């Protein structure tokens, strides 16, 4: 997802968030938000994705430029909600969360190596994985909502690194 500085400012206004609130929700620095919104510099790809995903998870949709029409933002219909916190299963290398998408209950299965790869780290304890997942929950929720319509199989949606990374 590509968003512009103007879309970021407009989305933040829709949500009635300050730059500090956006930075905290996206787990980026306030300087990253301020520099992006003032067009001083473009954030790194992962920071821009985190900014966009946290606002998407909060209910904002980014409208891309189409033909002669400019970009925009609007509130969107939320179809996904998560029902439980992540349950870590290091033996099987997964974390699971119960979710609900458009009337369908399913298990969101997050590969723990995808979490490691996202952070470029090796977490070893349940607490470390729980904190890491909590910090990127907005990315997980946005990813699950994007893939739920086409990737739920046998009551499960498996989230891989490529899905988390947006590739």
């Amino acid at each position: 997802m590509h968003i512009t500085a103007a879309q970021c400012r407009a989305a933040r206004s829709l949500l009635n968030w300050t730059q500090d609130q956006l930075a905290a929700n996206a787990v980026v620095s306030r300087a990253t938000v301020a520099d992006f919104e003032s067009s001083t510099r473009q954030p790194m790809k992962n920071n821009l994705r985190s900014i966009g995903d946290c606002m998407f998870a909060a209910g904002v949709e980014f409208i891309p430029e189409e033909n002669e029409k400019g970009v925009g933002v609007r509130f969107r219909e939320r179809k996904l909600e998560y029902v439980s916190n992540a349950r870590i299963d290091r033996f099987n290398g997964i974390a699971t969360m119960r979710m609900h998408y458009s009337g369908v209950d399913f298990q969101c299965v997050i590969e723990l190596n995808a979490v490691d790869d996202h952070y470029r780290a090796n977490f070893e304890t349940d607490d470390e994985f729980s904190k890491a997942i909590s910090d990127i929950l907005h990315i997980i929720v946005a990813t699950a909502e994007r893939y739920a319509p086409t990737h739920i199989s046998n009551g499960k949606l498996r989230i891989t690194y490529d899905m988390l990374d947006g590739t």
Side-chain angles (χ1 to χ4, degrees):
M1 149 187 15
H2 177 75
I3 63 173
T4 66
Q7 283 177 302
C8 185
R9 288 189 305 271
R12 197 168 47 76
S13 179
L14 278 176
L15 295 168
N16 199 25
W17 285 358
T18 65
Q19 286 183 340
D20 287 328
Q21 288 169 312
L22 173 56
N25 287 322
V27 193
V28 299
S29 72
R30 184 188 174 287
T32 296
V33 173
D35 289 351
F36 175 51
E37 288 188 350
S38 68
S39 298
T40 303
R41 69 177 169 91
Q42 185 73 12
M44 294 187 314
K45 178 183 166 187
N46 62 326
N47 286 345
L48 187 58
R49 170 118 195 258
S50 189
I51 289 168
D53 281 349
C54 85
M55 289 192 277
F56 180 83
V60 171
E61 176 179 21
F62 295 95
I63 305 163
E65 186 168 351
E66 187 176 299
N67 299 327
E68 300 283 319
K69 298 176 184 173
V71 298
V73 297
R74 65 180 170 212
F75 284 116
R76 65 180 181 80
E77 178 185 359
R78 291 192 210 180
K79 295 181 179 180
L80 180 112
E81 62 183 279
Y82 71 97
V83 181
S84 65
N85 290 329
R87 197 187 94 219
I88 309 300
D89 178 356
R90 284 186 292 130
F91 180 76
N92 290 306
I94 59 172
T96 56
M97 297 174 69
R98 288 187 316 120
M99 292 189 173
H100 186 81
Y101 180 83
S102 290
V104 176
D105 290 324
F106 67 96
Q107 284 280 9
C108 180
V109 178
I110 305 144
E111 295 178 359
L112 294 182
N113 63 358
V115 177
D116 279 340
D117 291 347
H118 178 81
Y119 283 100
R120 293 178 175 82
N122 289 313
F123 300 112
E124 296 182 8
T125 68
D126 289 0
D127 287 343
E128 289 174 332
F129 274 112
S130 291
K131 169 127 178 44
I133 288 169
S134 176
D135 287 346
I136 62 168
L137 184 60
H138 59 284
I139 295 172
I140 293 168
V141 169
T143 300
E145 187 157 0
R146 285 189 185 103
Y147 285 95
T150 57
H151 285 71
I152 294 175
S153 175
N154 297 321
K156 294 182 180 179
L157 169 66
R158 189 169 200 93
I159 304 251
T160 65
Y161 172 71
D162 289 340
M163 294 163 86
L164 273 183
D165 191 42
T167 56

